[in-house]
Amino acid sequence: MIIQGNDPTISPSFSLQNRIMRQLWNCAWLLLFRPSPRPFHAWRAGLLRLFGAHIGKHVHVYPAVRIWAPWNLEIGNHVGVADGVTLYNMDMITIGDYSVISQGAHLCGGSHDYNSQNFQLMAAPITLQSQVWICAEAFVSQGVTLPAGAVIAARSVVTRSPKDAWTVYAGMPAKPIRKRTQHVK
């Protein structure tokens, strides 16, 4: 999907097909997704499915969520994604069942190789296992997998996959601060 070895100052980083699909999605987001009333979760889920997203049951994606490429999105059942969330999914973002992503959180699936001459664009998937909560304005970087039951505290930064399930992580970089009670759904 990402063009390798290009000069990003004068040429695109993505195929023409990808750029056309993203423009179509941007128009649909602006005209149909963003202005939809807050309770119209099924409408927004339908639009996301129309653009290739895999959406489970009882999913609440609010109207001010920014999604870069719906075809790179998989959301499980009973998931909430709050207004102001950015899902910058150049690669797959997978959100497990019973997870919550709070206001202003940013899941960033792309970056640049600072050691390459052209700052080569690169992407990697982000995976949230079940019952994960990403609190307000937290940042999750490309290539990260969050284990089941993890909580990422408000404004925390996660650049590497945490190891322990059912743990609260906080800070920059996020570190484990306490265990939480496991709930089986």
Side-chain angles (χ1 to χ4, degrees):
M1 177 160 97
I2 297 173
I3 297 171
Q4 300 294 313
N6 67 326
D7 180 349
T9 62
I10 58 171
S11 61
S13 295
F14 294 91
S15 69
L16 179 61
Q17 179 184 358
N18 179 276
R19 289 179 282 144
I20 289 170
M21 286 302 297
R22 282 190 289 119
Q23 287 310 310
L24 289 172
W25 164 244
N26 287 336
C27 290
W29 181 87
L30 183 65
L31 299 173
L32 302 171
F33 190 96
R34 178 65 181 105
S36 64
R38 287 179 60 79
F40 282 32
H41 301 295
W43 169 256
R44 288 185 294 278
L47 286 172
L48 290 169
R49 285 184 189 106
L50 184 66
F51 280 87
H54 297 278
I55 308 292
K57 297 176 184 174
H58 308 292
V59 171
H60 290 182
V61 177
Y62 284 86
V65 174
R66 287 300 318 212
I67 300 166
W68 194 77
W71 49 91
N72 284 340
L73 182 61
E74 183 175 327
I75 300 177
N77 300 315
H78 301 276
V79 171
V81 183
D83 279 326
V85 167
T86 299
L87 301 177
Y88 190 43
N89 54 342
M90 289 180 177
D91 205 321
M92 283 300 295
I93 290 181
T94 304
I95 303 169
D97 296 343
Y98 298 97
S99 292
V100 174
I101 304 175
S102 294
Q103 293 82 355
H106 190 130
L107 281 65
C108 185
S111 189
H112 296 268
D113 179 357
Y114 55 81
N115 284 319
S116 77
Q117 183 176 3
N118 68 339
F119 294 111
Q120 179 64 54
L121 188 61
M122 55 189 189
I126 295 173
T127 302
L128 281 59
Q129 294 180 354
S130 65
Q131 301 182 59
V132 168
W133 177 19
I134 300 177
C135 298
E137 298 184 0
F139 179 90
V140 178
S141 188
Q142 65 174 0
V144 167
T145 295
L146 297 176
V151 173
I152 307 303
R155 295 202 168 180
S156 294
V157 176
V158 182
T159 58
R160 293 195 171 107
S161 298
K163 302 272 187 260
D164 299 325
W166 297 96
T167 301
V168 178
Y169 294 87
M172 186 177 89
K175 297 189 183 316
I177 59 169
R178 70 179 47 107
K179 295 298 270 180
R180 54 181 299 243
T181 304
Q182 183 171 349
H183 299 279
V184 178
K185 296 223 180 201

